Amino acid sequence: MAANATASVLAPHGGTIHAMWIPCVVFAHVFAGYFMLRMLLVMFPKATADFKRKFCCGSSTSTQQKHTPKPVSPKAAAAQHVRFDTASSPDQSKGAAAAAAAAAAKDANMGRSTTTYYDADDEEAGLPDISAAGNGAATGVPSQRSQLLMRRLSTMIRPMAMEWQDIGCSYNTSSGMRTVLKAVYGKAEPGDMLALMGPSGAGKSTLMDILAGRKSVGNLTGSVLVNGLPRKKDEFARKTAYVPQDDNFMPTMTVLETCSYYATLTLPRKLGKATRQERIKEVLAAMGLSHTTGTLVGGTLPGGIILRGLSGGERKRLSIANGIMSTPCIVFLDEPTSGLDSFAALSVMSYMRSMAGSGQTVVSSIHQPRAAIWALFDAVTLLSMGRLMFYGPREEMSPWFSEGCGYPYDPRMHGLVSDWGMDLVNIGFKKPEGCGYPYDPRMHGLVSDWGMDLVNIGFKKPESLFGRMMNTLEELDTAADAFRKRYLAGQNGLTAPAAAARGAPPPAGSPTPSDTEFALLDAAYGSPGSNANTQQGGAQAVAAMNRALDTVQEAEQRGGNAGSAGEQQGGCCGMGGRKPSSASWFTQFRVLLWREFLSVTRNPADVAGRCLIFSWLAIFVGLIYYNLSSDVDSLRARLNVLFVEPVILLLLPYVYMSLYTADKQYYIADSSAKLYHPSAYYVAKQMAVMPFAILNVLLFSFTLYGLAGLRPDGWAIGINGLMSVLMYLIAAQVLAFAAVVTPNQDVAFMLAIAWTAVNLLMSNFMVRYKDMTQVWFSQLRYISAMGYAFEGYAQAEFKGIKYSCAGGLAPSITAYLPIFLPNTPILRGTLVTGQLANPGADCVVELGSILEYFELFRPLWMIVVILVGYLLFFHIVTYLGFLWLTKKEKR
């Protein structure tokens, strides 16, 4: 820059167009087309396979040879099929091994391999290999490896008993205090499957949020105890899972990629890749999603683009699959059967029942369960108008309302106990006196149709459908008080022996599998790409793992109830209990960077769309100011270009406001589950987005620079590009900050527009600072990033340069001067006009005078430092905004 301090004279050149705009435009369209093609190939898997086979993998024959797994010997295959049943006798084990060997030999003779193969593409993408070969989980039948894994998990479950006492929640409204929950009690023992039931508005979701530690607004009363001690919310969140009613999946990720994302963040680091794969296969098979691994999740992208993907029911099952990935101690499910057909609902809840049988606790809010699902629950909490109407074993609900509360139950009239209980406490509509709900199949048809008609209060219905029910709030309070007295008197439903009889796990303090056992688990089948499944190695690893598990179980039987209550609350649960060390900071950063990269590159409106918009706007503006000459006549146009360029960069981020608000929603959903540290997310987000942003801005800047024909010096081109990059990054970061700290997109727009207005008006172009009569108001210029950027643009274009004016002023200027100064007769004389038209060969225009006119005196290095500091400031406050979000209510 110092070398350019000496003024150089540029002769009129007729508007030299820098050829660099041509490769910039070509590159922008090729770049955008590449990512558009990638997105289309992901949206259409069949086309992707055809494309790879045609352009990447050669002929179909070579493809088959490349991916055909290596066959294994019958004996080695037999080692894979060894049953992991330590209760079997040695003879039985030998017989099982012999049978497995015979089956493997038969498979080998038929040309089928019992091993899975490892796909290098999956390794490069960081994805698990879920090849269906030799995989029983894909068909819903656990494989031997899955059985070994689940057996290992069963030894790690530690009890986490919850009890809530006198829970209440109310809100201050304009019409007074509104009570949502009032004096709610209950328990959730290890091995329990607890149903939260009640009419709409009963307070089920509020109670669920309080129990899960996700409620922070409102007037909250009562206490939640874990193993008899006050709950530690952060630790509790890491050992539990909450499956919300509405998911927050990335629409541009496939089912497999989504599960891989959650598995990497929630499963412990000591689990090998093969074990993680097995867990993913197992949960997908349990939820009936094995066939959807390569399907996009789908949904509405920010900006309104709709991607076809999973159905609503499949998304619900995927949400449950990811929630139970780490086998948490307690699983909270918010209406898990909503949107599922009856068979899918039964399958999902049956798997949750099996989880409870392993010692975990399942708490689920549910609406009108079918008979088979209702039978899966151990206990029920029935709410109405925020009152606790009943808590206890499912079988005791009808006796309580029939005998203890004075409301008889008749199965011939009322059908399911769950339906009768819901109708009993619902006071939203008038019900005639009687003995229950009379059901007449000749009148009502199917029970399900009758049930739907029963709860719909938008139409007039015959009074003969209702029996003796609670019709007033006084009756509701009377029943709630009666149950509360019974509960506090000690008749509170489930007891510890009842929970233990259902298969509750041994208490905390018992030994847990060691790191060696984790390694043995992977060695039993080997990690992808390895040769651990040899003839002797696989069988020896399996036997060693079984011996280790037997040792653990024997130690547990001897351990009894060792361990304090504090140790129980802090004990490991499931596959590592989702401790903070489940994923290191670098692992969190890596998987988040991978997710963000998929998100921005697969969204047509993101990387590809932005690149095209930047390129097209540069072409549009460049054609307006096309071919500027290097003479006095072009000075005004050049100043306009230097002003318009940062203005466009200031306004472009508004096009993508929906992307910033969508990122906020994803972060809130993940942070509420304690999936990662906010710093890992923030760094990964910036690392994924910033390179594409810088590339787009440089393409815009160089295209416009070349088309307009600005100063043809390398350092000037570099400074122009640097000012553009800093200006855009600052504008985008301000919008990101506004999206984070404001409650909705409209308020974010208002905050960002206020900042943009200050930048435009205080840019020192439309009005000079020294021309402002309100000097105190001109101090806002110090917060105008555009003012600093305009100063940098102007110095790069005008500093140290002179234009030759040997050809004189343009005739339009000389003709305009007498009109502009009508009382100056000398301007009409031939002497003045001749001198202006032909000033001489040594006539020059000092462009540095423009910098003096606008008082642009700061050194370039200082401008760069100020803008970088401006950008860092908004990065810091945005990150603090994310930290603030983690402390707010997540729902």
Side-chain angles (χ1 to χ4, degrees):
M1 298 180 185
N4 293 277
T6 303
S8 59
V9 179
L10 293 181
H13 53 75
T16 301
I17 301 177
H18 303 89
M20 64 180 181
W21 73 269
I22 299 176
C24 288
V25 171
V26 173
F27 177 82
H29 286 76
V30 172
F31 182 80
Y34 168 74
F35 283 103
M36 285 286 191
L37 179 61
R38 280 173 54 97
M39 182 59 201
L40 291 176
L41 293 177
V42 173
M43 292 176 63
F44 303 100
K46 184 178 180 181
T48 303
D50 295 340
F51 178 84
K52 287 184 177 181
R53 181 168 56 253
K54 184 175 181 180
F55 297 101
C56 301
C57 304
S59 64
S60 59
T61 303
S62 62
T63 302
Q64 183 177 4
Q65 293 175 353
K66 178 180 178 180
H67 292 284
T68 299
K70 296 181 179 180
V72 296
S73 65
K75 293 183 178 180
Q80 289 183 284
H81 288 79
V82 174
R83 290 185 57 203
F84 305 103
D85 186 0
T86 57
S88 301
S89 65
D91 293 338
Q92 290 174 333
S93 299
K94 292 180 180 178
K106 183 178 179 180
D107 288 348
N109 293 332
M110 296 178 66
R112 296 194 301 267
S113 173
T114 57
T115 61
T116 60
Y117 62 84
Y118 179 65
D119 193 340
D121 294 337
D122 288 347
E123 172 64 19
E124 292 177 1
L127 301 179
D129 173 22
I130 62 162
S131 172
N135 175 24
T139 61
V141 180
S143 64
Q144 284 81 8
R145 179 181 174 83
S146 179
Q147 294 173 14
L148 176 62
L149 174 62
M150 291 307 296
R151 186 176 172 211
R152 203 272 302 172
L153 293 180
S154 67
T155 67
M156 297 185 66
I157 300 296
R158 293 293 176 267
M160 183 178 278
M162 286 186 65
E163 181 178 2
W164 48 99
Q165 302 173 350
D166 198 23
I167 297 295
C169 178
S170 60
Y171 298 97
N172 297 317
T173 64
S174 57
S175 59
M177 187 69 69
R178 177 172 174 264
T179 300
V180 179
L181 289 176
K182 178 181 178 182
V184 177
Y185 293 81
K187 293 181 180 180
E189 301 284 351
D192 280 352
M193 190 165 172
L194 173 65
L196 298 183
M197 298 183 61
S200 298
K204 301 185 299 296
S205 296
T206 302
L207 178 60
M208 180 83 76
D209 289 343
I210 294 176
L211 297 183
R214 293 181 171 224
K215 191 74 172 176
S216 59
V217 298
N219 305 312
L220 305 179
T221 60
S223 59
V224 178
L225 304 179
V226 177
N227 293 335
L229 297 177
R231 176 177 57 184
K232 300 176 182 178
K233 285 190 176 182
D234 289 342
E235 183 178 352
F236 180 80
R238 288 190 293 266
K239 297 176 184 293
T240 60
Y242 183 92
V243 181
Q245 188 171 359
D246 299 319
D247 62 80
N248 285 278
F249 296 132
M250 289 279 188
T252 54
M253 296 178 69
T254 65
V255 171
L256 174 58
E257 290 166 345
T258 302
C259 290
S260 178
Y261 167 75
Y262 280 93
T264 304
L265 292 176
T266 59
L267 297 181
R269 282 177 285 178
K270 41 187 156 179
L271 284 182
K273 185 180 179 68
T275 305
R276 293 172 187 266
Q277 294 175 12
E278 190 68 27
R279 182 58 181 166
I280 292 174
K281 289 185 288 186
E282 181 189 345
V283 296
L284 288 179
M287 296 297 114
L289 296 173
S290 296
H291 64 288
T292 65
T293 54
T295 305
L296 286 176
V297 173
T300 303
L301 293 173
I305 300 177
I306 298 178
L307 291 181
R308 296 190 62 181
L310 300 179
S311 66
E314 289 173 331
R315 291 173 67 96
K316 170 74 73 173
R317 285 180 277 157
L318 179 61
S319 182
I320 297 174
N322 289 315
I324 65 177
M325 183 73 68
S326 61
T327 60
C329 299
I330 302 177
V331 182
F332 297 96
L333 303 169
D334 191 1
E335 299 186 16
T337 59
S338 298
L340 302 182
D341 60 82
S342 59
F343 177 77
L346 178 58
S347 299
V348 169
M349 298 310 293
S350 296
Y351 186 81
M352 303 311 297
R353 173 68 263 175
S354 67
M355 288 183 60
S358 299
Q360 296 161 270
T361 305
V362 178
V363 180
S364 172
S365 62
I366 196 164
H367 276 298
Q368 291 184 302
R370 58 182 285 189
I373 295 178
W374 173 250
L376 296 175
F377 287 99
D378 301 302
V380 58
T381 293
L382 185 63
L383 302 174
S384 181
M385 298 295 290
R387 277 76 169 172
L388 176 64
M389 308 308 300
F390 176 80
Y391 161 75
R394 170 179 50 85
E395 300 84 357
E396 295 183 8
M397 188 170 75
S398 56
W400 163 251
F401 286 110
S402 298
E403 303 170 4
C405 205
Y407 295 96
Y409 164 67
D410 187 345
R412 293 172 298 178
M413 290 186 177
H414 301 122
L416 291 176
V417 176
S418 58
D419 292 334
W420 169 71
M422 292 281 290
D423 299 333
L424 178 67
V425 299
N426 196 328
I427 62 172
F429 47 86
K430 184 177 180 182
K431 292 165 283 188
E433 295 293 331
C435 199
Y437 293 126
Y439 168 63
D440 187 348
R442 293 171 298 178
M443 179 185 298
H444 303 125
L446 295 176
V447 176
S448 58
D449 294 334
W450 170 71
M452 291 294 293
D453 298 337
L454 182 65
V455 299
N456 194 329
I457 62 173
F459 301 89
K460 183 178 180 181
K461 295 176 286 187
E463 295 185 357
S464 59
L465 295 176
F466 304 100
R468 181 171 182 266
M469 298 289 172
M470 303 178 191
N471 296 294
T472 65
L473 187 61
E474 289 75 14
E475 291 178 328
L476 204 67
D477 285 332
T478 300
D481 290 341
F483 180 79
R484 184 169 60 255
K485 292 178 181 178
R486 179 222 186 195
Y487 182 89
L488 295 177
Q491 301 176 12
N492 49 10
L494 290 175
T495 60
R502 287 192 301 271
S510 301
T512 60
S514 62
D515 294 347
T516 303
E517 292 160 31
F518 279 99
L520 288 172
L521 180 61
D522 289 319
Y525 281 94
S527 58
S530 69
N531 295 322
N533 296 320
T534 59
Q535 177 177 351
Q536 297 180 353
Q540 291 176 355
V542 167
M545 186 63 192
N546 279 320
R547 289 195 299 269
L549 291 174
D550 290 338
T551 302
V552 171
Q553 291 180 338
E554 291 174 1
E556 286 175 343
Q557 294 174 1
R558 296 192 303 266
N561 296 325
S564 63
E567 291 172 341
Q568 292 178 23
Q569 182 169 349
C572 182
C573 216
M575 298 186 71
R578 305 241 327 263
K579 290 185 177 181
S581 59
S582 292
S584 64
W585 188 94
F586 180 77
T587 300
Q588 296 174 10
F589 164 76
R590 178 177 56 82
V591 72
L592 287 168
L593 180 63
W594 167 68
R595 185 190 71 164
E596 294 302 326
F597 179 80
L598 293 181
S599 174
V600 299
T601 57
R602 289 181 179 175
N603 186 350
D606 206 319
V607 169
R610 292 194 201 202
C611 188
L612 292 177
I613 288 178
F614 275 80
S615 181
W616 293 342
L617 276 176
I619 294 173
F620 180 77
V621 178
L623 291 177
I624 294 176
Y625 294 98
Y626 184 77
N627 198 11
L628 295 178
S629 60
S630 298
D631 54 27
V632 179
D633 295 340
S634 68
L635 292 181
R636 184 173 67 87
R638 288 177 181 273
L639 280 171
N640 289 341
V641 171
L642 300 181
F643 175 75
V644 169
E645 185 173 4
V647 167
I648 293 177
L649 296 174
L650 194 68
L651 299 178
L652 267 176
Y654 283 93
V655 180
Y656 304 99
M657 191 66 177
S658 59
L659 295 177
Y660 301 120
T661 54
D663 290 339
K664 175 183 176 181
Q665 297 304 318
Y666 294 134
Y667 172 80
I668 290 176
D670 290 347
S671 64
S672 63
K674 308 294 183 183
L675 287 180
Y676 45 72
H677 194 276
S679 62
Y681 166 81
Y682 193 79
V683 175
K685 182 68 180 178
Q686 299 305 318
M687 291 291 290
V689 173
M690 193 172 295
F692 294 108
I694 294 175
L695 176 64
N696 291 335
V697 174
L698 290 178
L699 291 173
F700 169 85
S701 176
F702 294 158
T703 301
L704 175 58
Y705 200 100
L707 285 172
L710 299 181
R711 182 175 180 174
D713 289 339
W715 75 273
I717 296 173
I719 293 299
N720 186 282
L722 179 60
M723 292 297 109
S724 298
V725 168
L726 291 175
M727 186 68 249
Y728 177 80
L729 292 181
I730 290 173
Q733 195 58 41
V734 169
L735 262 70
F737 167 75
V740 169
V741 300
T742 55
N744 54 61
Q745 185 169 311
D746 293 336
V747 180
F749 263 119
M750 295 172 58
L751 180 61
I753 287 174
W755 178 84
T756 302
V758 172
N759 275 264
L760 290 173
L761 297 175
M762 293 295 169
S763 62
N764 201 26
F765 178 79
M766 290 185 288
V767 56
R768 296 184 302 171
Y769 298 141
K770 66 179 182 180
D771 294 336
M772 297 180 65
T773 58
Q774 301 296 323
V775 179
W776 64 272
F777 198 68
S778 68
Q779 303 307 308
L780 288 175
R781 67 179 183 267
Y782 293 110
I783 64 172
S784 173
M786 185 175 171
Y788 298 112
F790 176 71
E791 185 172 0
Y793 283 121
Q795 290 201 29
E797 183 66 20
F798 300 126
K799 185 177 181 180
I801 192 172
K802 297 178 181 179
Y803 280 172
S804 173
C805 55
L809 297 179
S812 59
I813 297 178
T814 57
Y816 178 73
L817 285 176
I819 301 174
F820 184 69
L821 300 171
N823 296 328
T824 309
I826 191 173
L827 296 178
R828 295 184 176 88
T830 57
L831 179 63
V832 175
T833 56
Q835 188 67 25
L836 293 176
N838 188 17
D842 57 347
C843 178
V844 295
V845 176
E846 176 61 63
L847 299 187
S849 60
I850 297 177
L851 302 179
E852 295 179 1
Y853 176 78
F854 287 102
E855 297 184 341
L856 307 177
F857 302 126
R858 291 188 184 91
L860 282 173
W861 68 265
M862 183 179 294
I863 296 173
V864 173
V865 170
I866 292 174
L867 290 177
V868 170
Y870 204 113
L871 178 61
L872 290 177
F873 170 78
F874 272 100
H875 271 297
I876 293 173
V877 296
T878 304
Y879 177 69
L880 294 177
F882 277 111
L883 293 180
W884 172 70
L885 279 179
T886 60
K887 300 182 181 299
K888 292 181 61 181
E889 185 180 17
K890 309 304 185 300
R891 193 169 178 270

